[in-house]
Amino acid sequence: MKQPAVGQSMDRVDGRLKVTGAARYFADHQLEGMLYAALVCSPVSSGRIAAIDAREALRAPGVTDVISHLNAPPVPGYKQETPNPKQGLKIFHDDRIYSNGQPVAIVVANTLERAVHAASLVKVTYNQETHATDLYANLDKAFQNKSMKDYLRGEPDAWKKAPVTVEAEYNIPLEVHNPMELAGITAHWETPDKLVLYAKTQGVKSVQQTLKNLFQLPEQNIVVHSLFVGGAFGMALRVWPMEVAAIIAAKKVRKPVKLVIGRKDMFTLVGYRPAAMQKIGIGATADGKLTGITHEAVAVTSPYEDFTEAIVGMSKFMYACPNVNTHYQLVPLNLSTPVWMRGPGEATGSFALESAIDELSYKLKMDPLQFRVINHADTDPEKNLPFSSKYLKEAYEMGAEKIGWKNRTMEPRQLQEDGWLVGYGMSSGVFSAGRGKATASAIFGADGTLTIRSAAADIGPGTATAMVQIAADATGIAPAKIRFLLGESEYPEAPRQGGSSTVSTVGSAVSDVCKLLLQKLGEMAAESMPAFKDVKPADIGYEDGQLIVTGKPAIRAGFREVLQHRQQPELQVTATSQGGEERRKYSMYSFSVHFAKVHVHPATGVVRIKHVVSVADSGTIVNAKTAGSQMIGGVVGGIGMALTEEALIDHRFGRFVNNNYADYHVPVHADTPPTDVLFINKKDPVINPMGSKGMGEIALIGFAAAVSNAVFNATGTRVRDLPITPDKLLPNVKG
Amino acid sequence: MNQFSYVRPASQKAAIDAIFRDNTARFIAGGTNLLDLMKNGVTAPEKLVDINRLPLKDIRFSNNILHLGATTINSEVAAHPLVKTHFPLLSQALLAGASQQLRNMATTGGNMMQRTRCSYFYDITMPCNKRSPGTGCGAIGGINRMHAIFGASDQCIAVHPSDMCIALAALDATVIVAGPKGGRRIPFADFHRLPGNTPEKDNNLGKGELITGVEIPANPFTRHVYYLKVRDRASYAFALVSVAAALDISGSTIRQARLALGGVAHKPWRLYEAEKMLTGKAPTEENFRIAATVATRSAATFQHNAFKVPMAQNSIITALSKAAAI
Ligand SMILES: Cc1cc2nc3c(=O)[nH]c(=O)nc-3n(C[C@H](O)[C@H](O)[C@H](O)COP(=O)(O)OP(=O)(O)OC[C@H]3O[C@@H](n4cnc5c(N)ncnc54)[C@H](O)[C@@H]3O)c2cc1C
């Protein structure tokens, strides 16, 4: 037998395209007669549009049209009754302004520069109303919607009775995805009822569904192309109003229209991780057994949608704790709607929980790793189910060994290197290991090539590469002869790339379609090839690209021969795959453990992360190279969350003030230390044929707490408000 | 961005003429600041006068003076052996600024002329007396974590963003200027201004005047120098506080000290009193601590930037200790 392809560090199948610039992202597509759009966005945060004067803009060179609620063609899917504020933002539908930066008009011109300039000439006047953008000043508006149920296991607030307790408040600011690639769309109405789109999306099919409803078109009349995505992290999981604006504009001007939004609009038009205030009360016995956890969270949402995520989720099942209660609320503010951002919910929640666990460990005078092991949940205490697989204890050990955890001192401020304080910290991360439903088609050609199609997405993790590896093992066909095609709405249905589930979901469909292909080839052989005349299809297996027969080693046929024999150019099969009963019998999660060694400058408060070890328990690793890159990427995102990222709003204006790459600090190379990624790499026996659990989210979840815990170990100062900027660690000011 | 014309005059005189005759014309060197300002609508010149081909690119050391042409680029100056040997503080400060890509474009003249990074200045929907005199200061009462603790006025609390200029201030550089009425020399301390009632003016360059270069006299600060920049990420971020420290130490005595702060005022902030205090003293942490206290006596803070005072003090002590290698 050949070595299996799964597990190999195979190079990305599209690596060459990417590094040579040949990969075409949505904005790279130039259509015949295409026009360029620029948005006019509101500088007020609440109110109504009083008037729009577009005369000067329309007179500017090259301008085709200026479109707003005053002249936009109607969008049939917008309900016509008075706007229900919870139905989402219906762009160009009425005169309401809900948030600063909301688009009020779109200018279409024959060059980008002319569109941008003309947009600056549109004069909009507003009837301004009072706005609210400060979470802390508006806590009285906190509410729960129907989906946000309080959770209780055992006794509420049991932690208060524990001999050793910690009660603390943790705050994370609003964070913005800020991938390198800007958002936007190119829209082309080929006919009045056929819409073709070049999109930046994590799911071409979901774009198709959304627009089908909005524009009331037959599904097949909406064609969505999205072959490459330059980073998304969750911001391309839905169709945004600004994309609808471009589609409306293209409809009105009857030409293809390309919109690429500016960097500052990335703060207001494509979602964000909501700012959140969390309170944790946690208690343990003197020997370190957790007795109670109370986790409360309040997070921001927009006036017109309730965005919820699993902020308090982890507290319910991460530790074997008899008493847990959670409470989660939203505060609607004059901001656009948040959206999932890498490690959605859990990244926020884990900062609070994993910091509180660390705080409690100091009170107990117990190694925080040891403390976690003592309270390890062997089964899921929330669902009362066994885990499909869980190697968290091994992960703790592997990580501790690699970072040199034994060098850590229990007492803070004990270690120094080159005049810097040294600290070690750790945390755990967890994310649901999902498996959805997906369909894949496979075409095996008489030339020996296999082409698999599914409307999946690739926002960067290397989806096609992983799928080729899975298909290679499922068929025995060499990876070089296999192509996996994604990002086209005409392909068989696949869900959005989100929630760390693509390998699990689409990979299962690929695995299943390959099995079906082999079965069909076997049947065809049995039917028509003389050598297979007396062979039952059930006895036909395969090996190295050949059909074989159980117990009859002499009978063999290459896959190609089967087709050639029948003079058939190709064989096509389609399979749909989804999980079954196992979801009810098992609790499925991926786990991660993060270790950080930090330096903190004793005089200036500057934090430098010196070494990171992240261990992933995510089942079978399909490709250690792309998986490793994915983990490192999550760590970099985590460094941003821990140390640098914070979108600042001037609440007087409800407007972001650091809405650019110079002032909103994503980590740069100099911020990213040597990072060791370790994999448990043990097959999950239940979740899917590959035994792979998800990985994208756990790379980031928990990381910020590991850094904050390390900073405490170095300095004795606990920073509960992210990001940990130098001002929060100055020795001679009260933090 | 508005439409503009672009010219590339063949001579210095023609360049100065082009600017002098046209109020809406601006010199462009590396363009790393001007272009951003134009894209944001902060400035809308109708003519750009490209000075990159004027013969202002020399780096030479003669008569004990280092001369840097106005269009020498930051990365080249930082790496130049003459600069590294005789003026290491300048090299360190340059390398602490921006990123290598930006330093490859940014020029000595443009760097001195770069405008504040105050968010309110950059966002044309916000009030800003520097951008639109009379509209108010957005940063007062707004988000002012990055703002001034020295020399601010009730009109403007923005800070000067350059790193290079902090070293030039400490090293007593002179700005060489050519203008419609001939040339002049401006001591570095007199080049940038405090905001006062005219925050729209960053510096004292006159109408039509072109910076042709900068001169730095030879000095004894070749060994005991340190440029410390405290910032929110490890690279490619403006200073919360920066310190240019230079000491001339003989035996166990400081013969001469130079200290300047960045990120704290509308201009590079020389700490003359602290320098005087250190002169003749031993390079000890205790003395550095006293200097730091002296240095920050006149600080006045706003809602979000009070941390800059202790941060400046600690940074001064750290930079001096590094410079003295104690
Ligand atoms: C993202 C980012 C980060 C940065 N970080 C830092 C940092 O950390 N530290 C730092 O110090 N700097 C930083 N910078 C600023 C950078 O140093 C300046 O943009 C650069 O030095 C400006 O030089 P330039 O030649 O590109 O100027 P230009 O943009 O060409 O010109 C700037 C101004 O100077 C005028 N001008 C140019 N040359 C002359 C001359 N010879 N005579 C008269 N007027 C002239 C122009 O008319 C214009 O008004 C950063 C910039 C960016 C964009």
Side-chain angles (χ1 to χ4, degrees), chain A residues 413-428:
Chain A
R413 292 189 82 90
Q414 299 305 302
L415 302 174
Q416 288 220 8
E417 283 173 11
D418 309 324
W420 293 64
L421 297 165
V422 179
Y424 292 85
M426 66 156 302
S427 72
S428 344

Side-chain angles (χ1 to χ4, degrees), chain A residues 43 61 113-114 116-117 120 264 418 420 601-606 608 643-644 648-653 655-668 670-671 725-727 730-733, chain B residues 1-3 39-40 117-120 122-127 137-143 145-146 228-238 240 304 306-311 313-315 318 322:
Chain A
E113 291 76 9
R114 286 174 159 177
V116 170
H117 179 58
S120 74
K264 77 172 173 10
D418 309 324
W420 293 64
H601 195 271
T604 61
V606 168
R608 294 271 179 268
L643 298 184
T644 59
L648 295 166
I649 300 171
D650 184 328
H651 297 304
R652 299 171 304 168
F653 304 98
R655 199 167 163 83
F656 288 99
V657 298
N658 60 343
N659 48 5
N660 58 69
Y661 259 167
D663 297 324
Y664 182 91
H665 295 141
V666 296
V668 296
D671 293 296
T725 44
D727 47 315
L730 285 174
N732 42 351
V733 262
Chain B
M1 198 194 282
N2 59 306
Q3 297 213 10
K39 285 187 190 166
N40 280 279
R117 309 299 296 200
C118 173
S119 311
Y120 298 89
Y122 261 83
D123 183 345
I124 59 168
T125 73
M126 296 278 202
C137 171
I140 297 175
I143 294 182
R145 180 171 174 269
M146 301 297 292
L228 174 68
K229 183 175 180 184
V230 184
R231 47 189 146 174
D232 284 325
R233 64 181 164 193
S235 172
Y236 192 42
F238 290 93
L240 295 166
H304 304 118
F307 72 88
K308 281 194 177 183
V309 177
M311 183 176 275
Q313 289 172 341
N314 297 350
S315 301
T318 304
K322 287 272 186 190

Side-chain angles (χ1 to χ4, degrees), chain A residues 146-224:
Chain A
K146 280 197 216 88
S147 73
M148 306 168 75
K149 299 218 168 55
D150 287 351
Y151 173 79
L152 173 64
R153 173 164 82 240
E155 219 188 294
D157 295 339
W159 67 272
K160 287 182 179 164
K161 296 185 204 147
V164 190
T165 64
V166 164
E167 184 181 21
E169 184 185 308
Y170 303 90
N171 294 289
I172 73 143
L174 193 154
E175 290 172 14
V176 183
H177 305 68
N178 265 324
M180 198 102 88
E181 183 193 34
L182 297 166
I185 198 161
T186 298
H188 182 203
W189 292 85
E190 282 188 355
T191 66
D193 60 1
K194 184 173 186 212
L195 176 60
V196 176
L197 299 168
Y198 294 87
K200 166 171 185 158
T201 178
Q202 295 176 245
V204 283
K205 280 288 181 188
S206 96
V207 174
Q208 197 183 38
Q209 285 306 313
T210 305
L211 296 175
K212 173 182 140 190
N213 294 331
L214 265 183
F215 289 93
Q216 297 185 356
L217 296 170
E219 184 171 307
Q220 68 274 13
N221 287 17
I222 302 172
V223 179
V224 189

Side-chain angles (χ1 to χ4, degrees), chain A residues 302-370:
Chain A
S302 70
Y304 47 82
E305 276 163 320
D306 293 349
F307 174 80
T308 60
E309 54 183 0
I311 294 186
V312 294
M314 182 173 173
S315 294
K316 300 172 191 171
F317 61 83
M318 190 64 200
Y319 296 105
C321 178
N323 306 295
V324 176
N325 56 304
T326 70
H327 184 55
Y328 171 32
Q329 291 176 293
L330 295 178
V331 172
L333 296 174
N334 291 101
L335 296 171
S336 62
T337 307
V339 75
W340 304 278
M341 179 163 158
R342 198 168 190 180
E346 314 281 14
T348 303
S350 63
F351 172 62
L353 179 66
E354 290 295 290
S355 293
I357 289 279
D358 195 69
E359 296 202 41
L360 194 52
S361 78
Y362 280 92
K363 282 208 173 172
L364 289 160
K365 299 200 180 339
M366 183 181 273
D367 181 334
L369 193 153
Q370 175 67 15

Side-chain angles (χ1 to χ4, degrees), chain A residues 408-457:
Chain A
R408 171 185 180 273
T409 60
M410 187 70 229
E411 190 65 28
R413 292 189 82 90
Q414 299 305 302
L415 302 174
Q416 288 220 8
E417 283 173 11
D418 309 324
W420 293 64
L421 297 165
V422 179
Y424 292 85
M426 66 156 302
S427 72
S428 344
V430 66
F431 197 80
S432 169
R435 174 175 176 191
K437 180 177 169 185
T439 303
S441 72
I443 296 177
F444 180 69
D447 60 355
T449 61
L450 173 62
T451 306
I452 301 174
R453 292 180 168 83
S454 184

Side-chain angles (χ1 to χ4, degrees), chain A residues 433-439 495 501 504-509 512 576-585 588 686-690:
Chain A
R435 174 175 176 191
K437 180 177 169 185
T439 303
S501 57
S504 178
T505 303
V506 182
S508 297
D512 284 3
T576 298
S577 173
Q578 66 182 317
E581 280 301 291
E582 69 277 2
R583 285 236 153 237
R584 260 181 261 150
K585 298 190 202 135
M588 302 187 199
V686 177
I687 184 164
N688 54 38
M690 296 77 61

